[in-house]
Amino acid sequence: DYRFERSEYAATGILEYWIVDIFAGKVSVLQLVEGFYDVTEFRGSDRLVSHVFTEICLTASQILEAKS
């Protein structure tokens, strides 16, 4: 969810969450900064940057193309 969950997560202090949108071909990483979320979008070969999972070494494509 791009709106409702954002305010719910902020109110509970969730530092970071991700939205994986296979239809738009992007991974959005939302980081809580002073009560609001800053959004960074990653596509294709962009390497994901996470302030919570600092050791992660994945591209947006790797996440979007993952199979269960």
Side-chain angles (χ1 to χ4, degrees), residues 1-21 26-42 47-53 56 63:
D1 186 303
Y2 288 92
R3 290 180 55 175
F4 178 73
E5 287 180 3
R6 188 178 294 201
S7 58
E8 291 289 312
Y9 291 168
T12 58
I14 293 175
L15 298 178
E16 179 179 287
Y17 74 99
W18 298 14
I19 299 173
V20 178
D21 188 336
K26 67 181 179 179
V27 178
S28 300
V29 176
L30 293 90
Q31 179 189 8
L32 189 61
V33 177
E34 297 180 9
F36 297 95
Y37 285 102
D38 286 343
V39 181
T40 306
E41 294 181 349
F42 301 91
R47 244 187 230 289
L48 273 73
V49 176
S50 169
H51 294 272
V52 174
F53 303 105
I56 201 160
I63 300 240

Side-chain angles (χ1 to χ4, degrees), residues 20-22 25-27 43-45 59-68:
V20 178
D21 188 336
I22 59 172
K26 67 181 179 179
V27 178
R43 298 174 185 271
S45 62
T59 65
S61 291
Q62 288 174 304
I63 300 240
L64 293 163
E65 296 169 5
K67 306 231 185 313
S68 55

